[in-house]
Amino acid sequence: MSLKTLLNKTCKISQITYTQEVESGEQKTIATVLESALPCRLRTRTVSERKYSLPAYSLATHSIYVQAKSILYGKKLAVEIEDNTYDVIGLINMGGEERLFCLYAERRG
């Protein structure tokens, strides 16, 4: 199966950062788009995958596969797919000459 066939949806990936209002002290969330219309694949994680995964990834409800992009490393990310937003908990390189990443994510709401 080709990478193009595997990645059957498109997504928007944003970097999430925070600022604090000087006067009120209120924390504001800023989403900066890193990639738009990026080919991806969304998969719901099974109960056993969640149970036997590393503790850091046990909360991840979904796996999102995307073409490897170095810009995604080391950032707090959110992914939008078909009107749903997913907060990325972790990222792993699936190998294959660094061509595919798996983003472990938790669906908002």
Side-chain angles (χ1 to χ4, degrees):
M1 176 183 293
S2 73
L3 192 58
K4 186 175 181 178
T5 304
L6 176 70
L7 305 178
N8 61 353
K9 297 183 183 297
T10 59
C11 63
K12 179 170 77 172
I13 300 180
S14 300
Q15 178 180 357
I16 306 300
T17 56
Y18 303 96
T19 63
Q20 190 170 11
E21 292 289 326
V22 175
E23 294 177 12
S24 67
E26 180 182 4
Q27 183 175 333
K28 297 280 188 181
T29 303
I30 300 170
T32 305
V33 176
L34 299 176
E35 294 285 339
S36 60
L38 182 67
C40 67
R41 181 176 196 90
L42 177 67
R43 187 177 65 77
T44 303
R45 296 185 73 217
T46 65
V47 172
S48 63
E49 283 178 307
R50 294 174 72 181
K51 181 178 180 180
Y52 296 111
S53 66
L54 295 172
Y57 301 137
S58 64
L59 296 176
T61 56
H62 293 79
S63 296
I64 303 169
Y65 300 93
V66 297
Q67 181 181 359
K69 301 274 185 174
S70 61
I71 193 170
L72 303 179
Y73 274 120
K75 296 178 172 80
K76 181 168 177 57
L77 303 172
V79 180
E80 291 179 43
I81 303 172
E82 297 176 344
D83 298 326
N84 292 308
T85 302
Y86 303 85
D87 294 313
V88 176
I89 296 170
L91 177 153
I92 62 169
N93 185 336
M94 299 298 291
E97 300 175 4
E98 296 190 8
R99 292 180 48 200
L100 190 66
F101 284 166
C102 177
L103 307 176
Y104 287 117
E106 183 178 25
R107 185 174 172 187
R108 285 188 198 166

